[in-house]
PDB file of all heavy atoms in Angstrom:
ATOM      1  N   ASP A1235      82.504 103.901  96.519  1.00  0.00           N
ATOM      2  CA  ASP A1235      81.499 104.505  97.386  1.00  0.00           C
ATOM      3  C   ASP A1235      81.507 106.029  97.306  1.00  0.00           C
ATOM      4  O   ASP A1235      80.464 106.658  97.370  1.00  0.00           O
ATOM      5  CB  ASP A1235      81.739 104.078  98.846  1.00  0.00           C
ATOM      6  CG  ASP A1235      81.267 102.666  99.092  1.00  0.00           C
ATOM      7  OD1 ASP A1235      80.675 102.079  98.174  1.00  0.00           O
ATOM      8  OD2 ASP A1235      81.485 102.153 100.202  1.00  0.00           O
ATOM      9  N   TYR A1236      82.700 106.622  97.193  1.00  0.00           N
ATOM     10  CA  TYR A1236      82.684 108.084  97.219  1.00  0.00           C
ATOM     11  C   TYR A1236      82.077 108.671  95.955  1.00  0.00           C
ATOM     12  O   TYR A1236      81.542 109.781  95.989  1.00  0.00           O
ATOM     13  CB  TYR A1236      84.053 108.695  97.540  1.00  0.00           C
ATOM     14  CG  TYR A1236      85.194 108.253  96.676  1.00  0.00           C
ATOM     15  CD1 TYR A1236      85.417 108.839  95.440  1.00  0.00           C
ATOM     16  CD2 TYR A1236      86.073 107.268  97.099  1.00  0.00           C
ATOM     17  CE1 TYR A1236      86.474 108.448  94.649  1.00  0.00           C
ATOM     18  CE2 TYR A1236      87.130 106.866  96.325  1.00  0.00           C
ATOM     19  CZ  TYR A1236      87.323 107.457  95.096  1.00  0.00           C
ATOM     20  OH  TYR A1236      88.369 107.059  94.303  1.00  0.00           O
ATOM     21  N   LYS A1238      79.508 107.111  94.465  1.00  0.00           N
ATOM     22  CA  LYS A1238      78.076 106.943  94.758  1.00  0.00           C
ATOM     23  C   LYS A1238      77.593 108.041  95.695  1.00  0.00           C
ATOM     24  O   LYS A1238      76.512 108.601  95.516  1.00  0.00           O
ATOM     25  CB  LYS A1238      77.842 105.586  95.424  1.00  0.00           C
ATOM     26  CG  LYS A1238      77.773 104.436  94.463  1.00  0.00           C
ATOM     27  CD  LYS A1238      77.424 103.158  95.213  1.00  0.00           C
ATOM     28  CE  LYS A1238      78.054 101.958  94.525  1.00  0.00           C
ATOM     29  NZ  LYS A1238      78.281 100.850  95.432  1.00  0.00           N
ATOM     30  N   PHE A1239      78.417 108.335  96.692  1.00  0.00           N
ATOM     31  CA  PHE A1239      78.040 109.359  97.657  1.00  0.00           C
ATOM     32  C   PHE A1239      77.977 110.728  96.971  1.00  0.00           C
ATOM     33  O   PHE A1239      77.094 111.539  97.259  1.00  0.00           O
ATOM     34  CB  PHE A1239      79.038 109.375  98.825  1.00  0.00           C
ATOM     35  CG  PHE A1239      78.643 110.276  99.957  1.00  0.00           C
ATOM     36  CD1 PHE A1239      77.349 110.269 100.454  1.00  0.00           C
ATOM     37  CD2 PHE A1239      79.570 111.128 100.540  1.00  0.00           C
ATOM     38  CE1 PHE A1239      76.979 111.089 101.506  1.00  0.00           C
ATOM     39  CE2 PHE A1239      79.211 111.949 101.592  1.00  0.00           C
ATOM     40  CZ  PHE A1239      77.919 111.933 102.077  1.00  0.00           C
ATOM     41  N   ALA A1242      74.774 110.830  95.290  1.00  0.00           N
ATOM     42  CA  ALA A1242      73.686 111.000  96.257  1.00  0.00           C
ATOM     43  C   ALA A1242      73.624 112.434  96.765  1.00  0.00           C
ATOM     44  O   ALA A1242      72.589 112.884  97.231  1.00  0.00           O
ATOM     45  CB  ALA A1242      73.870 110.036  97.432  1.00  0.00           C
ATOM     46  N   ARG A1243      74.737 113.144  96.675  1.00  0.00           N
ATOM     47  CA  ARG A1243      74.730 114.547  97.079  1.00  0.00           C
ATOM     48  C   ARG A1243      74.251 115.454  95.950  1.00  0.00           C
ATOM     49  O   ARG A1243      74.249 116.671  96.084  1.00  0.00           O
ATOM     50  CB  ARG A1243      76.137 114.983  97.498  1.00  0.00           C
ATOM     51  CG  ARG A1243      76.476 114.570  98.919  1.00  0.00           C
ATOM     52  CD  ARG A1243      77.813 115.104  99.317  1.00  0.00           C
ATOM     53  NE  ARG A1243      78.899 114.323  98.763  1.00  0.00           N
ATOM     54  CZ  ARG A1243      80.069 114.833  98.381  1.00  0.00           C
ATOM     55  NH1 ARG A1243      80.288 116.120  98.463  1.00  0.00           N
ATOM     56  NH2 ARG A1243      81.002 114.054  97.899  1.00  0.00           N
ATOM     57  N   GLY A1244      73.935 114.860  94.815  1.00  0.00           N
ATOM     58  CA  GLY A1244      73.361 115.645  93.723  1.00  0.00           C
ATOM     59  C   GLY A1244      74.377 116.438  92.933  1.00  0.00           C
ATOM     60  O   GLY A1244      74.027 117.408  92.275  1.00  0.00           O
ATOM     61  N   ARG A1249      80.929 116.855  86.831  1.00  0.00           N
ATOM     62  CA  ARG A1249      81.803 117.202  87.950  1.00  0.00           C
ATOM     63  C   ARG A1249      82.295 115.938  88.656  1.00  0.00           C
ATOM     64  O   ARG A1249      83.458 115.840  89.064  1.00  0.00           O
ATOM     65  CB  ARG A1249      81.009 118.069  88.923  1.00  0.00           C
ATOM     66  CG  ARG A1249      81.867 118.927  89.785  1.00  0.00           C
ATOM     67  CD  ARG A1249      81.004 119.749  90.728  1.00  0.00           C
ATOM     68  NE  ARG A1249      81.865 120.328  91.723  1.00  0.00           N
ATOM     69  CZ  ARG A1249      82.485 121.491  91.560  1.00  0.00           C
ATOM     70  NH1 ARG A1249      82.289 122.189  90.460  1.00  0.00           N
ATOM     71  NH2 ARG A1249      83.274 121.954  92.485  1.00  0.00           N
ATOM     72  N   ARG A1253      86.178 115.739  88.204  1.00  0.00           N
ATOM     73  CA  ARG A1253      86.828 116.204  89.425  1.00  0.00           C
ATOM     74  C   ARG A1253      87.052 115.053  90.398  1.00  0.00           C
ATOM     75  O   ARG A1253      88.135 114.874  90.921  1.00  0.00           O
ATOM     76  CB  ARG A1253      85.963 117.266  90.098  1.00  0.00           C
ATOM     77  CG  ARG A1253      86.677 118.595  90.277  1.00  0.00           C
ATOM     78  CD  ARG A1253      85.756 119.583  90.934  1.00  0.00           C
ATOM     79  NE  ARG A1253      85.893 119.540  92.372  1.00  0.00           N
ATOM     80  CZ  ARG A1253      86.839 120.190  93.042  1.00  0.00           C
ATOM     81  NH1 ARG A1253      87.745 120.886  92.401  1.00  0.00           N
ATOM     82  NH2 ARG A1253      86.905 120.133  94.352  1.00  0.00           N
ATOM     83  N   HIS A1254      86.007 114.268  90.630  1.00  0.00           N
ATOM     84  CA  HIS A1254      86.119 113.253  91.678  1.00  0.00           C
ATOM     85  C   HIS A1254      86.741 111.957  91.176  1.00  0.00           C
ATOM     86  O   HIS A1254      87.583 111.391  91.846  1.00  0.00           O
ATOM     87  CB  HIS A1254      84.746 112.985  92.298  1.00  0.00           C
ATOM     88  CG  HIS A1254      84.308 114.108  93.191  1.00  0.00           C
ATOM     89  ND1 HIS A1254      84.483 114.090  94.540  1.00  0.00           N
ATOM     90  CD2 HIS A1254      83.744 115.294  92.894  1.00  0.00           C
ATOM     91  CE1 HIS A1254      84.035 115.223  95.062  1.00  0.00           C
ATOM     92  NE2 HIS A1254      83.578 115.967  94.078  1.00  0.00           N
ATOM     93  N   ASN A1258      91.394 110.531  91.045  1.00  0.00           N
ATOM     94  CA  ASN A1258      91.723 109.269  91.701  1.00  0.00           C
ATOM     95  C   ASN A1258      92.221 108.233  90.703  1.00  0.00           C
ATOM     96  O   ASN A1258      92.962 107.333  91.050  1.00  0.00           O
ATOM     97  CB  ASN A1258      90.500 108.715  92.434  1.00  0.00           C
ATOM     98  CG  ASN A1258      90.316 109.383  93.776  1.00  0.00           C
ATOM     99  OD1 ASN A1258      91.027 109.090  94.719  1.00  0.00           O
ATOM    100  ND2 ASN A1258      89.384 110.308  93.854  1.00  0.00           N
ATOM    101  N   PRO A1333      97.055 112.990  98.574  1.00  0.00           N
ATOM    102  CA  PRO A1333      97.526 113.522  99.861  1.00  0.00           C
ATOM    103  C   PRO A1333      97.844 112.443 100.880  1.00  0.00           C
ATOM    104  O   PRO A1333      98.589 112.680 101.808  1.00  0.00           O
ATOM    105  CB  PRO A1333      96.361 114.382 100.333  1.00  0.00           C
ATOM    106  CG  PRO A1333      95.174 113.878  99.592  1.00  0.00           C
ATOM    107  CD  PRO A1333      95.687 113.401  98.277  1.00  0.00           C
ATOM    108  N   ARG A1334      97.288 111.226 100.691  1.00  0.00           N
ATOM    109  CA  ARG A1334      97.544 110.173 101.670  1.00  0.00           C
ATOM    110  C   ARG A1334      99.027 109.837 101.735  1.00  0.00           C
ATOM    111  O   ARG A1334      99.555 109.474 102.757  1.00  0.00           O
ATOM    112  CB  ARG A1334      96.757 108.906 101.304  1.00  0.00           C
ATOM    113  CG  ARG A1334      95.312 108.994 101.701  1.00  0.00           C
ATOM    114  CD  ARG A1334      94.524 107.841 101.139  1.00  0.00           C
ATOM    115  NE  ARG A1334      94.466 107.916  99.692  1.00  0.00           N
ATOM    116  CZ  ARG A1334      93.735 107.114  98.949  1.00  0.00           C
ATOM    117  NH1 ARG A1334      93.036 106.177  99.526  1.00  0.00           N
ATOM    118  NH2 ARG A1334      93.708 107.243  97.646  1.00  0.00           N
ATOM    119  N   SER A1337     101.322 112.241 104.096  1.00  0.00           N
ATOM    120  CA  SER A1337     101.414 112.031 105.537  1.00  0.00           C
ATOM    121  C   SER A1337     102.058 110.689 105.861  1.00  0.00           C
ATOM    122  O   SER A1337     102.805 110.578 106.816  1.00  0.00           O
ATOM    123  CB  SER A1337     100.048 112.144 106.188  1.00  0.00           C
ATOM    124  OG  SER A1337      99.142 111.299 105.538  1.00  0.00           O
TER     125      SER A1337
ATOM    126  N   GLU B1040      71.334 100.502  91.037  1.00  0.00           N
ATOM    127  CA  GLU B1040      72.450 100.090  90.184  1.00  0.00           C
ATOM    128  C   GLU B1040      71.897  99.325  88.994  1.00  0.00           C
ATOM    129  O   GLU B1040      71.213  98.326  89.185  1.00  0.00           O
ATOM    130  CB  GLU B1040      73.368  99.167  90.965  1.00  0.00           C
ATOM    131  CG  GLU B1040      73.951  99.785  92.204  1.00  0.00           C
ATOM    132  CD  GLU B1040      75.388 100.219  91.984  1.00  0.00           C
ATOM    133  OE1 GLU B1040      76.065  99.609  91.144  1.00  0.00           O
ATOM    134  OE2 GLU B1040      75.805 101.173  92.637  1.00  0.00           O
ATOM    135  N   ARG B1066      68.394 115.332  90.189  1.00  0.00           N
ATOM    136  CA  ARG B1066      69.690 115.657  90.764  1.00  0.00           C
ATOM    137  C   ARG B1066      69.582 116.823  91.741  1.00  0.00           C
ATOM    138  O   ARG B1066      70.288 116.899  92.737  1.00  0.00           O
ATOM    139  CB  ARG B1066      70.665 116.013  89.644  1.00  0.00           C
ATOM    140  CG  ARG B1066      72.078 116.206  90.086  1.00  0.00           C
ATOM    141  CD  ARG B1066      72.970 116.529  88.914  1.00  0.00           C
ATOM    142  NE  ARG B1066      72.668 117.803  88.295  1.00  0.00           N
ATOM    143  CZ  ARG B1066      72.879 118.975  88.872  1.00  0.00           C
ATOM    144  NH1 ARG B1066      73.378 119.039  90.075  1.00  0.00           N
ATOM    145  NH2 ARG B1066      72.580 120.097  88.248  1.00  0.00           N
ATOM    146  N   GLY B1070      70.454 115.134  97.489  1.00  0.00           N
ATOM    147  CA  GLY B1070      71.457 115.948  98.158  1.00  0.00           C
ATOM    148  C   GLY B1070      70.855 117.233  98.689  1.00  0.00           C
ATOM    149  O   GLY B1070      71.230 117.706  99.744  1.00  0.00           O
ATOM    150  N   MET B1075      71.638 111.259 101.772  1.00  0.00           N
ATOM    151  CA  MET B1075      71.822 109.838 102.022  1.00  0.00           C
ATOM    152  C   MET B1075      73.162 109.594 102.709  1.00  0.00           C
ATOM    153  O   MET B1075      74.186 110.106 102.283  1.00  0.00           O
ATOM    154  CB  MET B1075      71.748 109.061 100.712  1.00  0.00           C
ATOM    155  CG  MET B1075      71.769 107.569 100.915  1.00  0.00           C
ATOM    156  SD  MET B1075      70.993 106.714  99.531  1.00  0.00           S
ATOM    157  CE  MET B1075      71.060 105.026 100.118  1.00  0.00           C
ATOM    158  N   THR B1082      84.998 104.851 103.129  1.00  0.00           N
ATOM    159  CA  THR B1082      85.100 104.936 101.672  1.00  0.00           C
ATOM    160  C   THR B1082      84.122 105.944 101.075  1.00  0.00           C
ATOM    161  O   THR B1082      84.082 106.118  99.871  1.00  0.00           O
ATOM    162  CB  THR B1082      84.846 103.559 101.022  1.00  0.00           C
ATOM    163  OG1 THR B1082      83.580 103.080 101.486  1.00  0.00           O
ATOM    164  CG2 THR B1082      85.909 102.555 101.402  1.00  0.00           C
ATOM    165  N   SER B1083      83.332 106.607 101.920  1.00  0.00           N
ATOM    166  CA  SER B1083      82.326 107.526 101.377  1.00  0.00           C
ATOM    167  C   SER B1083      82.910 108.881 100.982  1.00  0.00           C
ATOM    168  O   SER B1083      82.303 109.623 100.225  1.00  0.00           O
ATOM    169  CB  SER B1083      81.219 107.773 102.413  1.00  0.00           C
ATOM    170  OG  SER B1083      80.431 106.619 102.561  1.00  0.00           O
ATOM    171  N   ASN B1085      85.846 111.310  99.329  1.00  0.00           N
ATOM    172  CA  ASN B1085      86.882 111.247  98.301  1.00  0.00           C
ATOM    173  C   ASN B1085      88.248 111.491  98.941  1.00  0.00           C
ATOM    174  O   ASN B1085      88.472 112.541  99.536  1.00  0.00           O
ATOM    175  CB  ASN B1085      86.595 112.295  97.222  1.00  0.00           C
ATOM    176  CG  ASN B1085      87.429 112.081  95.988  1.00  0.00           C
ATOM    177  OD1 ASN B1085      88.531 111.553  96.062  1.00  0.00           O
ATOM    178  ND2 ASN B1085      86.907 112.470  94.848  1.00  0.00           N
ATOM    179  N   TYR B1088      90.490 114.947  98.267  1.00  0.00           N
ATOM    180  CA  TYR B1088      90.092 116.327  98.554  1.00  0.00           C
ATOM    181  C   TYR B1088      89.909 116.561 100.045  1.00  0.00           C
ATOM    182  O   TYR B1088      89.494 115.656 100.774  1.00  0.00           O
ATOM    183  CB  TYR B1088      88.796 116.676  97.817  1.00  0.00           C
ATOM    184  CG  TYR B1088      88.969 116.733  96.334  1.00  0.00           C
ATOM    185  CD1 TYR B1088      88.404 115.776  95.500  1.00  0.00           C
ATOM    186  CD2 TYR B1088      89.734 117.742  95.759  1.00  0.00           C
ATOM    187  CE1 TYR B1088      88.591 115.811  94.132  1.00  0.00           C
ATOM    188  CE2 TYR B1088      89.925 117.794  94.397  1.00  0.00           C
ATOM    189  CZ  TYR B1088      89.356 116.830  93.586  1.00  0.00           C
ATOM    190  OH  TYR B1088      89.554 116.883  92.237  1.00  0.00           O
ATOM    191  N   GLN B1093      84.942 119.377 100.115  1.00  0.00           N
ATOM    192  CA  GLN B1093      83.819 118.516  99.725  1.00  0.00           C
ATOM    193  C   GLN B1093      82.503 119.076 100.249  1.00  0.00           C
ATOM    194  O   GLN B1093      81.465 118.968  99.604  1.00  0.00           O
ATOM    195  CB  GLN B1093      84.061 117.079 100.214  1.00  0.00           C
ATOM    196  CG  GLN B1093      85.317 116.487  99.586  1.00  0.00           C
ATOM    197  CD  GLN B1093      85.494 115.001  99.870  1.00  0.00           C
ATOM    198  OE1 GLN B1093      84.577 114.200  99.754  1.00  0.00           O
ATOM    199  NE2 GLN B1093      86.707 114.613 100.227  1.00  0.00           N
ATOM    200  N   GLU B1096      81.737 122.387  98.261  1.00  0.00           N
ATOM    201  CA  GLU B1096      81.356 122.017  96.894  1.00  0.00           C
ATOM    202  C   GLU B1096      79.868 121.649  96.845  1.00  0.00           C
ATOM    203  O   GLU B1096      79.121 122.126  95.992  1.00  0.00           O
ATOM    204  CB  GLU B1096      82.203 120.840  96.425  1.00  0.00           C
ATOM    205  CG  GLU B1096      81.786 120.301  95.066  1.00  0.00           C
ATOM    206  CD  GLU B1096      82.504 119.013  94.695  1.00  0.00           C
ATOM    207  OE1 GLU B1096      82.917 118.266  95.608  1.00  0.00           O
ATOM    208  OE2 GLU B1096      82.645 118.767  93.488  1.00  0.00           O
ATOM    209  N   THR B1097      79.454 120.797  97.800  1.00  0.00           N
ATOM    210  CA  THR B1097      78.061 120.360  97.827  1.00  0.00           C
ATOM    211  C   THR B1097      77.120 121.548  98.046  1.00  0.00           C
ATOM    212  O   THR B1097      76.090 121.675  97.378  1.00  0.00           O
ATOM    213  CB  THR B1097      77.864 119.329  98.951  1.00  0.00           C
ATOM    214  OG1 THR B1097      78.886 118.355  98.849  1.00  0.00           O
ATOM    215  CG2 THR B1097      76.514 118.671  98.851  1.00  0.00           C
ATOM    216  N   HIS B1101      74.228 123.337  95.213  1.00  0.00           N
ATOM    217  CA  HIS B1101      72.788 123.414  95.464  1.00  0.00           C
ATOM    218  C   HIS B1101      72.289 124.807  95.824  1.00  0.00           C
ATOM    219  O   HIS B1101      71.094 125.066  95.800  1.00  0.00           O
ATOM    220  CB  HIS B1101      72.388 122.442  96.578  1.00  0.00           C
ATOM    221  CG  HIS B1101      72.466 121.009  96.149  1.00  0.00           C
ATOM    222  ND1 HIS B1101      71.613 120.490  95.215  1.00  0.00           N
ATOM    223  CD2 HIS B1101      73.297 120.003  96.489  1.00  0.00           C
ATOM    224  CE1 HIS B1101      71.910 119.213  95.015  1.00  0.00           C
ATOM    225  NE2 HIS B1101      72.939 118.898  95.767  1.00  0.00           N
ATOM    226  N   TYR B1132      92.439 116.043 105.389  1.00  0.00           N
ATOM    227  CA  TYR B1132      92.025 115.065 104.388  1.00  0.00           C
ATOM    228  C   TYR B1132      91.300 113.931 105.112  1.00  0.00           C
ATOM    229  O   TYR B1132      91.569 113.687 106.288  1.00  0.00           O
ATOM    230  CB  TYR B1132      93.238 114.519 103.644  1.00  0.00           C
ATOM    231  CG  TYR B1132      93.814 115.498 102.660  1.00  0.00           C
ATOM    232  CD1 TYR B1132      94.957 116.227 102.966  1.00  0.00           C
ATOM    233  CD2 TYR B1132      93.192 115.704 101.439  1.00  0.00           C
ATOM    234  CE1 TYR B1132      95.480 117.142 102.068  1.00  0.00           C
ATOM    235  CE2 TYR B1132      93.704 116.604 100.542  1.00  0.00           C
ATOM    236  CZ  TYR B1132      94.853 117.328 100.857  1.00  0.00           C
ATOM    237  OH  TYR B1132      95.359 118.218  99.952  1.00  0.00           O
ATOM    238  N   HIS B1134      91.708 110.807 105.246  1.00  0.00           N
ATOM    239  CA  HIS B1134      92.519 109.771 105.886  1.00  0.00           C
ATOM    240  C   HIS B1134      93.120 110.230 107.207  1.00  0.00           C
ATOM    241  O   HIS B1134      93.661 109.434 107.943  1.00  0.00           O
ATOM    242  CB  HIS B1134      93.629 109.314 104.934  1.00  0.00           C
ATOM    243  CG  HIS B1134      94.684 110.347 104.713  1.00  0.00           C
ATOM    244  ND1 HIS B1134      94.597 111.303 103.755  1.00  0.00           N
ATOM    245  CD2 HIS B1134      95.853 110.580 105.359  1.00  0.00           C
ATOM    246  CE1 HIS B1134      95.660 112.078 103.794  1.00  0.00           C
ATOM    247  NE2 HIS B1134      96.435 111.671 104.763  1.00  0.00           N
TER     248      HIS B1134
END
Side-chain angles (χ1 to χ4, degrees):
Chain A
D1235 283 355
Y1236 54 83
K1238 279 185 211 154
F1239 187 46
R1243 279 184 282 146
R1249 203 180 168 87
R1253 238 180 91 83
H1254 286 264
N1258 279 284
R1334 281 171 294 187
S1337 53
Chain B
E1040 300 258 332
R1066 187 179 66 69
M1075 187 156 184
T1082 55
S1083 289
N1085 193 331
Y1088 292 110
Q1093 298 189 46
E1096 174 188 27
T1097 311
H1101 289 292
Y1132 286 102
H1134 70 273

